[in-house]
Amino acid sequence: MVEDHFRTLIKGSSAPFHTGDGPQYNTTFTYDPDSRRVERNPRKAIADHLHWLSPRFIRSENFATASNRLSASKIVLLTGPPGAGKRSAAMMLLHWAGSLPGQFVEMAPTDKDDLGDQFNDFIQPGDQLLLDLSRIESSSHQSIQGKLSYYCATIAERQAYLVVVMPQGLEFYLQPELLHLVVPIGPPNRLAALWAHLREDGLDLTEADSVRPRIAELLTSAPMRDVFELARLIRIASESYAGDLSSWTKEAIAAITDRSKQVVNDVRGIRKGRQRALLLATAMLNGARVDTLDDAANRLLKIIDHPPEIRPLLQQRSLAERFTAFPVLIEESGHVRFEQLAYDMAVRAYFWTYYPGLRAAFRTWIDELVKLGSADHEQLVIRFAEQCLRIGRPLDLAWLAERWANHGTAGKLLPDAAKALELGLTHESFGSVFRQRIYDWSKDPQLSLQLGTLLVGICSEVLARTHPDRALVRLHHLARQSAPETAASAQEALRRLVVKDIRLFRLLLDRIAVAFETRQRPADFSLFLQLVDTKLLLRDGGTLLANSGVIQALARGWHKVVTNLPRERWLTQAHDWLAANDERLLDVLVTAGNDDTVVLGRLYMVDVHWSTAPRRLCQKIDSAQGLARRAS
C-alpha cells in the first residue's frame, strides 16, 4: 500500500470498526434488563462469523502445508510477518479441520484471573482451539513456551485441534520438539482477496477496469487489514454515492491514501479554536442537526476553558457561514454530513493524535454528550471507542462504561455502557484489558446493582462467545455478590451457560468444590444444589458420572451441603437422586459420608422416610460400614 504516516487512521466512518489483522465479529449486544428470561446462544456469533468469512477467504502459499500439518499432528504453529492474515487463516484451518463434533474456543493464556490450569479437563475431542500470541510482549515469550509444550501434549491426547498464531521471531524460543509444527505463512493474493469480498457484497471488480492498475499498486505490500478495509469502504461508497464501481473505488482509495493529508491541510487553515471545536463536533456527531453540533462545540469549549466569544451574537458569524469552511452538506432538514467518504474519521483521528493534552477533556465531553442524549448514542460511543483503542487508551473507555452504568437515571445509559464494553472486549489488542477490568469489578464487594446487572449480560452474551471459561469465572464471582438481584441473575446465567456445555458444567462444579474447602459461601451452596439436577447428571447416558474428578467433586459438595445446611434446603435434591434409581448417584452419596457418621446418618434417615422402595441407599450405607441390614 502507498505509505504515509497517517495511512492506518482510516478505519471507517460508520458501523462497527476494525483495527487488527484478524476477524471482526459484527454482532451487537443490546442491553436488555430482562435478558435472563430469554434463552440465547452466545456461541452462534462464532458460527455466523465463520460462515461469513469462508467464501471471502483466499488461501495463501503454505496454507495447504499448514492444513496437512494440522490434520496429521492436530497442532500447527503459524508464523509470518504482521499483516499476513494469520488469524483469519488460523480460523479457517480450524473451521475445515476434522469431522468430530467440537467447539471453537479462543484461549487466553495471559489473563490474570483465578481460572487455574484446568486445560486438561476443559478440552474435548474435536474441539477447535485458537491461541493468538501475535500481540504478546517479548518478555512473555519464555513463559508462554512452557505452556505451549503442555497444551500440545494435551491436544494430542484429546484428539482436538490447536492453531497457534505466533509473533514473528517466537520460533527461535521454541523447544526443539515443537519446531516441526511451525509453518511460515504469508499473505494471500491481495487482489483476489479484495475481489472475494466485493463479490460477496454483490459487486464485480471486473467492472472497475479503469482503476485496476491503481488498486494493484495500492495493494502491492498492504497488510490484509487494509485489503479488508478497502473492500468495506468500496461497499459503503456504493451505498452512499451515485456512480459506478470505478467511481466508488476511486472514492475509497482517496479515503485511504489522501483523506488524512487533506484534513491536516484543512485544519491548518482553520485558526480559531471555536471553529476547530465545531469541526470536531461535526466529526463526532456526523449527521446531527446544526443546533446539536453548535451546542456540542460550545460544551467542548467550556470543558477546556476556551475564552468565550465577546462580540454580540448578531455580529458573530452565523453557523451557515462557519460551516462553509468544511466540506459538508447541510440538508433541508438541518442535518449536517461530510461530503467525502471517511472524512469524519480522519478528523477524529487528527484531534486524538495531535492534541494529546486534550484526551481527558474529550473523554469528559463524550460523557456529557451521552448523558444529555443529544445525538445517536451508539454511533457516538463507537466513534469514541475507535479513537481510545487506536491510540492505546482502553481505560478511558472502561472508565466511561462504569460511569454510564452507575448513572442514576433508571438504567437509561446501560445500553451505552454495554456497547463500550462490547467494543473493548472484542478488540484484538485490548480485549485482555477489558477481561481483567470485568474480573476486578466482579469481585468488588462495593459493586453497584446497575453495573453488576450489566456485567452479567456482557459475560453471558459477549465474553462467552469466544472465552466461555473466562465468562464462567466472572459470572461465578458475580453470583457471590451481596446484592440479591445481581447474584440471582448471575446464578441464572451460569445455569444457562453450563446446561449447554458439559465442560463448563465440570469447571463450575470443580470451582465450587474447591471453594467449599476454604470458605462456605451461600451462593456456592445454591449453585451446587442447581448443579446436582439429575437431568443434567444423567444426560447422554450419564457420561459426567464416568469421570472420577466429577464424582469426587459431587461427593465433597454433598458432604458440605448436608453438614452445613438445614435438611429442608437439600431434601428435594436428595429425593430426586433416590427417585433416579441410579447406582452411581447412590454411590456418590455414600462417598459423601466418607466415614462421617453424622452425614451418613442424615442421608440414611432421608432414605428411611422416603416412600419409594427399595431403600437402596440404606443398604449401601450399611455395606460401607460393614453392618447387616438394619431394621426400619
Side-chain angles (χ1 to χ4, degrees):
M1 180 167 286
V2 175
E3 293 293 335
D4 66 66
H5 67 288
F6 234 110
R7 175 178 53 80
T8 58
L9 295 181
I10 303 301
K11 293 298 176 189
S13 58
S14 63
F17 62 93
H18 184 264
T19 57
D21 296 340
Q24 171 189 354
Y25 304 118
N26 288 328
T27 56
T28 299
F29 164 67
T30 302
Y31 172 76
D32 175 8
D34 294 323
S35 62
R36 61 182 179 276
R37 303 176 187 171
V38 183
E39 290 295 327
R40 304 176 189 270
N41 183 6
R43 312 292 295 163
K44 187 176 182 297
I46 296 296
D48 289 346
H49 176 74
L50 292 171
H51 179 74
W52 175 89
L53 179 61
S54 184
R56 294 169 169 81
F57 181 74
I58 300 297
R59 303 184 185 211
S60 61
E61 186 179 0
N62 272 2
F63 184 87
T65 302
S67 180
N68 293 334
R69 189 71 47 82
L70 183 63
S71 178
S73 303
K74 309 301 181 188
I75 304 159
V76 65
L77 312 180
L78 296 183
T79 187
K86 298 188 294 295
R87 185 179 168 92
S88 292
M91 296 192 77
M92 286 295 96
L93 284 170
L94 292 168
H95 183 51
W96 292 325
S99 57
L100 291 174
Q103 291 189 358
F104 177 92
V105 178
E106 182 165 0
M107 299 161 62
T110 58
D111 280 14
K112 298 176 181 179
D113 56 22
D114 58 359
L115 180 62
D117 200 351
Q118 295 169 308
F119 182 79
N120 217 23
D121 290 331
F122 192 73
I123 302 308
Q124 299 295 311
D127 280 353
Q128 304 109 42
L129 306 174
L130 172 63
L131 177 59
D132 190 348
L133 305 178
S134 60
R135 299 178 187 276
I136 65 169
E137 298 178 357
S138 57
S139 59
S140 302
H141 287 183
Q142 201 64 37
S143 61
I144 288 294
Q145 183 188 201
K147 287 190 176 183
L148 272 180
S149 299
Y150 172 65
Y151 293 155
C152 291
T154 302
I155 291 296
E157 175 189 337
R158 296 300 173 92
Q159 292 295 296
Y161 297 91
L162 170 64
V163 177
V164 182
V165 179
M166 301 198 304
Q168 198 167 31
L170 182 57
E171 61 268 27
F172 299 112
Y173 293 87
L174 293 178
Q175 296 174 356
E177 61 268 23
L178 297 177
L179 289 176
H180 75 285
L181 301 173
V182 175
V183 175
I185 195 166
N189 183 297
R190 297 173 178 87
L191 195 61
L194 176 66
W195 187 87
H197 277 70
L198 295 177
R199 179 193 62 213
E200 294 302 314
D201 289 334
L203 301 172
D204 186 353
L205 188 59
T206 59
E207 297 177 5
D209 286 338
S210 63
V211 292
R212 283 174 68 88
R214 177 65 173 131
I215 294 174
E217 176 192 0
L218 196 66
L219 300 182
T220 299
S221 59
M224 292 307 298
R225 61 179 173 271
D226 286 346
V227 177
F228 303 151
E229 185 61 19
L230 178 59
R232 195 179 72 85
L233 289 173
I234 292 173
R235 175 179 56 79
I236 293 174
S238 72
E239 296 169 349
S240 307
Y241 301 92
D244 55 19
L245 186 58
S246 293
S247 63
W248 299 329
T249 303
K250 289 176 182 177
E251 184 69 18
I253 291 174
I256 288 180
T257 59
D258 302 330
R259 202 69 77 225
S260 57
K261 295 177 182 178
Q262 178 184 350
V263 166
V264 169
N265 290 330
D266 289 350
V267 175
R268 186 182 296 124
I270 300 172
R271 308 302 302 174
K272 293 186 177 181
R274 296 180 62 82
Q275 193 74 345
R276 290 185 176 186
L278 183 61
L279 175 62
L280 178 56
T282 306
M284 290 302 299
L285 304 173
N286 190 28
R289 290 180 55 84
V290 169
D291 51 350
T292 300
L293 298 175
D294 183 45
D295 179 70
N298 289 332
R299 290 182 182 278
L300 175 58
L301 292 170
K302 184 177 180 180
I303 290 171
I304 64 176
D305 293 325
H306 191 277
E309 176 67 75
I310 58 175
R311 290 184 298 171
L313 285 174
L314 284 176
Q315 293 183 21
Q316 297 176 23
R317 296 177 66 199
S318 70
L319 281 173
E321 293 176 286
R322 293 173 63 192
F323 274 119
T324 58
F326 315 145
V328 297
L329 290 173
I330 302 179
E331 301 171 352
E332 291 185 5
S333 61
H335 292 84
V336 181
R337 302 182 186 280
F338 285 106
E339 295 179 295
Q340 298 168 318
L341 180 65
Y343 189 94
D344 59 330
M345 175 61 191
V347 170
R348 296 192 293 270
Y350 176 89
F351 280 94
W352 255 268
T353 299
Y354 294 116
Y355 287 91
L358 291 179
R359 290 168 183 169
F362 292 158
R363 182 186 65 184
T364 302
W365 179 48
I366 299 302
D367 181 32
E368 189 172 307
L369 292 179
V370 168
K371 287 178 179 177
L372 286 170
S374 57
D376 181 343
H377 284 201
E378 183 169 334
Q379 283 301 313
L380 186 57
V381 174
I382 289 173
R383 291 163 183 168
F384 176 73
E386 70 188 0
Q387 297 307 315
C388 289
L389 300 175
R390 181 185 63 82
I391 63 173
R393 288 175 64 99
L395 293 182
D396 280 356
L397 192 58
W399 182 83
L400 279 184
E402 184 176 15
R403 284 178 62 85
W404 293 335
N406 292 327
H407 189 59
T409 54
K412 180 181 178 182
L413 300 183
L414 282 173
D416 303 299
K419 173 54 67 175
L421 290 182
E422 181 187 20
L423 293 170
L425 276 174
T426 54
H427 191 270
E428 289 183 20
S429 296
F430 297 111
S432 61
V433 173
F434 285 85
R435 291 195 298 271
Q436 184 63 41
R437 192 71 191 92
I438 291 173
Y439 175 76
D440 294 338
W441 278 328
S442 70
K443 295 185 67 177
D444 183 1
Q446 305 301 319
L447 182 72
S448 69
L449 172 61
Q450 299 95 315
L451 182 55
T453 303
L454 172 64
L455 295 181
V456 170
I458 285 290
C459 289
S460 59
E461 299 183 34
V462 178
L463 184 55
R465 294 174 192 164
T466 52
H467 299 84
D469 51 341
R470 310 289 161 166
L472 182 145
V473 169
R474 286 144 184 80
L475 286 170
H476 190 192
H477 286 299
L478 290 166
R480 294 166 168 171
Q481 283 289 331
S482 57
E485 297 90 343
T486 300
S489 61
Q491 289 183 31
E492 174 61 19
L494 276 172
R495 186 197 65 79
R496 294 200 314 268
L497 198 61
V498 303
V499 160
K500 298 172 183 176
D501 194 328
I502 289 178
R503 75 198 76 201
L504 294 177
F505 178 95
R506 291 172 58 183
L507 177 59
L508 180 57
L509 179 64
D510 188 62
R511 285 180 58 83
I512 292 172
V514 171
F516 277 156
E517 299 303 322
T518 57
R519 180 182 176 187
Q520 285 81 54
R521 297 178 176 87
D524 286 337
F525 284 117
S526 297
L527 285 169
F528 180 80
L529 291 174
Q530 292 181 43
L531 292 182
V532 297
D533 184 345
T534 55
K535 293 179 182 178
L536 293 177
L537 294 172
L538 296 177
R539 69 180 179 183
D540 300 325
T543 54
L544 277 170
L545 299 176
N547 183 275
S548 60
V550 171
I551 295 295
Q552 291 300 317
L554 288 170
R556 288 179 357 228
W558 268 113
H559 183 276
K560 295 296 182 182
V561 163
V562 175
T563 302
N564 293 277
L565 297 184
R567 191 170 76 153
E568 57 267 20
R569 283 285 308 278
W570 50 268
L571 188 60
T572 299
Q573 286 81 359
H575 284 168
D576 288 343
W577 277 43
L578 295 175
N581 196 26
D582 189 288
E583 295 291 320
R584 295 167 296 182
L585 294 180
L586 299 181
D587 288 339
V588 169
L589 293 177
V590 175
T591 304
N594 193 26
D595 296 329
D596 186 325
T597 56
V598 173
V599 173
L600 288 175
R602 291 176 181 174
L603 292 172
Y604 192 96
M605 294 308 297
V606 168
D607 197 17
V608 165
H609 293 293
W610 187 57
S611 60
T612 304
R615 293 177 181 140
R616 289 289 296 139
L617 180 59
C618 290
Q619 295 172 12
K620 286 180 175 290
I621 291 174
D622 285 342
S623 176
Q625 293 185 315
L627 302 174
R629 175 74 187 275
R630 297 180 245 193
S632 299

